[in-house]
Amino acid sequence: MAVLTQKKPMTIAEKFNDESWRRKFLNNVLIPWIFIAPLLIIHLYVVAVPAVQGIYMSLTDWKGVGMNVNFVGLENYRELFFEDETFGKALSNNILWMAFFLTVPFILALFCATMLSQVRRGGMIYRSILFVPYVLASVVTATIWKNLLNPQRGVGAAVDNILGLEGVFGVAYLGRTETALMSIAFIDNWQFWGFLMILFLAAMQSIPPVLYDAAKIDGANRWQEFRHVTLPGIRPILVFMFMMVAIFSFLAFDYIFLLTQGGPGGASEVIATQLYKNAFFRFQAGYGAAQGVVISIFAGFIILIFVTVKRRGWDI
Amino acid sequence: MTAIGNVSIRDTILQRGRSRERSRLLVFNHVVLLALTAFAVIPLVVVAFNSVKTNLEIGQNPLGPPVNVVVENFPNAWDKGNFATTMSNSIIYVVATIAAELVFGGLAAYALARKKPPGSDLLMLYFLVASTIPLWMYIVPLFVQINFLKVKIGVDARILLIMVYVATRAPLSIFLLRSYMIDLPTELEDAARVDGANELQVMTRIVFPLTKPGFLTVGLVVGLGVWNEFLLALTFIHDPNQYPVTTSFYKFVDRFDRDWALTSAGAIIIIFPVMVLFLSLQRQFIEGLAEGGVKL
């Protein structure tokens, strides 16, 4: 029966002559794709095409100006990893940056969100104020903290003044090789951690209170409560943000460029600031493009780790 | 009976212990939270103080409240920082990017959420993968492309910057708006169709109005991002008359490095519109940015 009632498949010419088919095609295929087209075309033009070009460019010795382009294979990568010592320094700075951002803001945000989730009165006010730094522009934050870390007029000098010391805390934090990178990380974190806190707080507030009551009845202390109720309750966002922050650590640019431009003497240089200088100041576009590919490979590698772990369903 | 009695006694003991513990702990909580709040706010208070001091006073008293309040720093900074021009530039960048993002993003999200044309799964995969590509991978070739359009074809650099902003935020707005539209019940749309509404009317009169909170979220996240954006503007805009406030402020601080009164006033001028908007739309801001930050 089914075979008998089944219609013969239409040829394309027949389809175009069929009014209802034409309307269906228009409504369900053509018009939706016309709606999608503008954003897709812009995105292809700005992101996808240059990303592919970037890979090719990284295999050339192009300077960024002129027509002289030679294909050099993996030469740029070889130079990066085996000859360029400043790149090694930048990479290790990126890893230090990651170590800082995977610990300090997370501990601060977890601690603060735990405190805040227990507070009834004033919770909204705290939440809003702690979030304020996150909405500031990096140029503004950088300027504010550059002044606050000034050796003569900044916070350090004021502390020295109170303690009757001179030049102990009032030092050029951004101008010394030992402190420059971590000072910038501190400033970036000042702006960032409130955002992390808000995410954790929202996750904590969605944990059913019954679980805390149960933990109390079982005689759990506050640490055990945090360890066995809070942490598992916010695990998805915690793990996700670990991944995002690990990726961001390889993309770090704004604050370093604004505050020290990688100095003094390369002490706070990261891959992105090096890339920017190579591509836009030093006429080494091919070399800069190779650094961009390296950053992307690191980012992709981090995503791969997290995806694998998630696939395996590991308890993290 | 005894068991029940025991339980109730244990409960009351627990209850009492807990409430005493809770009130003690909450003092600790508030102390910690106040300290962290101070850490967040004091730098801003110091800038606000310095913006109404003279440089002479800042030299003697760089951190404390002002003794004499002077307001001249603001008109000075406004003029010397060319804020009249750069503010309006920034407003153009923000408004144009939001408008393009909402119109194109809304249309694309509607098509993907409701029509699902053949190939839409592939398209979502494309945007998912593309959203993980770091800017650093394509900034150098993109610079070449943009420069070509600017120099050889003569396209206005501002339009090109807006195009880059729209593209880099496209995955975010598509994901957010699409998931928002998918969560909407379809009954209203069916009812409108029964009442004789055509497809265009269903979209513009039913779906888009219901997606308003989604549009607001995308608008806030995109708008704040563009207002604060530094790197792309630095890379693609080289005419000082086309600078947004961020890159203009960067050069301004460079030029008046020692003049803290002036740069502090400039900082307050940039922060001010964002703070007003933030304070009036706190919930949408916080929830929107939390959502946007996780989706990206």
Side-chain angles (χ1 to χ4, degrees):
Chain A
M1 284 297 279
V3 178
L4 286 178
T5 52
Q6 199 171 44
K7 275 186 199 156
K8 218 171 67 182
M10 289 195 288
T11 66
I12 291 172
E14 274 171 349
K15 279 180 180 174
F16 269 101
N17 286 328
D18 180 5
E19 169 77 22
S20 79
W21 187 88
R22 236 169 29 207
R23 189 178 308 139
K24 240 187 215 155
F25 178 77
L26 196 70
N27 271 336
N28 295 335
V29 181
L30 194 61
I31 292 178
W33 274 103
I34 290 172
F35 284 177
I36 295 165
L39 215 48
L40 178 63
I41 291 168
I42 295 176
H43 196 268
L44 283 170
Y45 184 76
V46 171
V47 178
V49 172
V52 176
Q53 285 175 328
I55 296 172
Y56 175 73
M57 202 180 270
S58 75
L59 304 173
T60 70
D61 66 353
W62 193 47
K63 291 193 174 358
V65 286
M67 286 288 132
N68 191 8
V69 186
N70 298 308
F71 186 82
V72 294
L74 295 173
E75 171 59 24
N76 286 328
Y77 296 94
R78 193 192 61 76
E79 203 181 321
L80 267 180
F81 284 102
F82 297 107
E83 271 175 30
D84 190 344
E85 275 166 26
T86 61
F87 177 74
K89 175 71 184 158
L91 181 58
S92 72
N93 277 344
N94 274 112
I95 289 166
L96 273 177
W97 189 269
M98 181 160 81
F100 179 95
F101 274 91
L102 286 182
T103 50
V104 177
F106 278 86
I107 291 168
L108 203 56
L110 279 174
F111 181 62
C112 183
T114 312
M115 295 286 115
L116 195 47
S117 66
Q118 295 159 353
V119 164
R120 299 261 174 294
R121 205 167 295 164
M124 291 301 276
I125 298 171
Y126 286 126
R127 196 177 79 140
S128 293
I129 297 177
L130 290 167
F131 195 71
V132 163
Y134 188 71
V135 302
L136 301 181
S138 53
V139 265
V140 173
T141 309
T143 308
I144 294 173
W145 277 98
K146 211 176 193 173
N147 291 357
L148 287 174
L149 294 183
N150 184 292
Q152 281 91 37
R153 301 183 188 173
V155 180
V159 172
D160 277 352
N161 221 347
I162 292 164
L163 300 177
L165 301 165
E166 203 164 308
V168 177
F169 293 100
V171 295
Y173 292 100
L174 293 165
R176 301 197 314 177
T177 47
E178 316 88 72
T179 51
L181 185 73
M182 284 300 120
S183 304
I184 304 167
F186 171 85
I187 296 168
D188 194 339
N189 178 51
W190 176 80
Q191 195 213 24
F192 172 68
W193 78 274
F195 171 66
L196 210 54
M197 195 279 291
I198 293 288
L199 294 182
F200 293 160
L201 179 65
M204 283 178 192
Q205 283 167 343
S206 65
I207 297 173
V210 185
L211 293 179
Y212 286 102
D213 293 341
K216 283 229 172 66
I217 287 167
D218 288 345
N221 62 30
R222 307 199 67 203
W223 168 252
Q224 288 166 330
E225 212 178 276
F226 176 77
R227 174 70 191 78
H228 297 288
V229 182
T230 310
L231 270 190
I234 64 167
R235 195 168 60 203
I237 187 75
L238 191 64
V239 171
F240 182 77
M241 286 317 289
F242 260 121
M243 179 182 84
M244 294 306 273
V245 170
I247 294 171
F248 287 153
S249 303
F250 283 103
L251 315 183
F253 174 82
D254 272 29
Y255 282 97
I256 298 161
F257 188 82
L258 286 164
L259 287 161
T260 63
Q261 303 238 336
S268 58
E269 198 86 77
V270 289
I271 306 176
T273 53
Q274 252 189 359
L275 184 165
Y276 202 84
K277 290 182 201 168
N278 282 333
F280 300 118
F281 302 152
R282 293 190 192 129
F283 301 107
Q284 291 185 302
Y287 199 58
Q291 286 180 305
V293 173
V294 169
I295 291 179
S296 310
I297 290 170
F298 283 131
F301 190 64
I302 292 165
I303 295 174
L304 196 72
I305 292 174
F306 277 86
V307 169
T308 317
V309 167
K310 220 176 173 183
R311 276 263 167 80
R312 297 242 174 120
W314 282 1
D315 197 38
I316 46 168
Chain B
M1 283 301 274
T2 44
I4 292 167
N6 277 345
V7 166
S8 71
I9 288 165
R10 211 187 81 184
D11 269 3
T12 43
I13 289 169
L14 257 177
Q15 209 76 48
R16 205 179 293 159
R18 208 191 297 164
S19 70
R20 198 184 299 149
E21 185 191 44
R22 180 157 288 166
S23 66
R24 183 165 50 85
L25 287 169
L26 282 186
V27 174
F28 175 68
N29 287 22
H30 281 286
V31 170
V32 168
L33 290 169
L34 282 174
L36 289 169
T37 311
F39 176 57
V41 166
I42 284 174
L44 294 172
V45 174
V46 171
V47 193
F49 283 163
N50 284 349
S51 72
V52 290
K53 290 180 199 167
T54 60
N55 271 313
L56 193 70
E57 196 188 332
I58 291 176
Q60 293 153 349
N61 165 28
L63 302 173
V67 180
N68 299 310
V69 173
V70 292
V71 290
E72 284 84 73
N73 294 329
F74 287 96
N76 269 348
W78 184 268
D79 285 342
K80 288 185 182 161
N82 203 13
F83 275 103
T85 310
T86 61
M87 275 286 209
S88 42
N89 288 341
S90 272
I91 290 170
I92 292 171
Y93 295 135
V94 168
V95 171
T97 309
I98 290 177
E101 204 68 74
L102 294 189
V103 171
F104 296 147
L107 287 174
Y110 176 77
L112 288 166
R114 282 292 186 265
K115 295 296 172 190
K116 297 187 195 75
S120 35
D121 287 342
L122 205 65
L123 186 75
M124 287 308 287
L125 186 69
Y126 164 77
F127 275 120
L128 190 70
V129 172
S131 69
T132 65
I133 299 175
L135 172 71
W136 298 113
M137 174 133 176
Y138 55 87
I139 192 165
V140 186
L142 179 62
F143 178 80
V144 177
Q145 268 186 21
I146 295 287
N147 227 25
F148 172 77
L149 288 182
K150 199 161 73 180
V151 178
K152 293 278 158 59
I153 317 255
V155 184
D156 192 317
R158 285 171 292 190
I159 293 172
L160 296 170
L161 181 65
I162 291 164
M163 182 180 78
V164 175
Y165 284 151
V166 172
T168 49
R169 281 139 184 90
L172 169 81
S173 55
I174 286 190
F175 292 150
L176 268 173
L177 293 174
R178 176 180 165 272
S179 69
Y180 202 95
M181 286 178 190
I182 283 178
D183 290 342
L184 292 176
T186 51
E187 283 83 8
L188 273 171
E189 292 156 56
D190 296 337
R193 283 197 188 93
V194 170
D195 287 348
N198 63 35
E199 287 303 308
L200 191 71
Q201 287 169 325
V202 168
M203 182 177 79
T204 55
R205 302 263 174 86
I206 309 287
V207 178
F208 283 174
L210 287 173
T211 317
K212 226 185 241 163
F215 283 125
L216 182 64
T217 302
V218 172
L220 281 178
V221 175
V222 169
L224 183 70
V226 171
W227 182 266
N228 289 344
E229 209 281 329
F230 170 71
L231 166 62
L232 291 168
L234 179 78
T235 311
F236 296 121
I237 301 286
H238 301 114
D239 176 358
N241 285 318
Q242 297 180 337
Y243 281 159
V245 277
T246 47
T247 50
S248 150
F249 185 68
Y250 169 65
K251 312 266 170 175
F252 175 72
V253 172
D254 225 29
R255 197 149 57 97
F256 298 99
D257 192 24
R258 309 235 129 239
D259 198 339
W260 284 19
L262 205 62
T263 53
S264 299
I268 295 292
I269 294 174
I270 297 180
I271 298 174
F272 185 73
V274 175
M275 289 316 277
V276 169
L277 208 62
F278 175 69
L279 292 177
S280 50
L281 289 169
Q282 280 172 51
R283 200 176 54 81
Q284 287 91 335
F285 247 97
I286 293 176
E287 278 161 19
L289 284 168
E291 211 176 335
V294 172
K295 282 269 158 56
L296 209 71

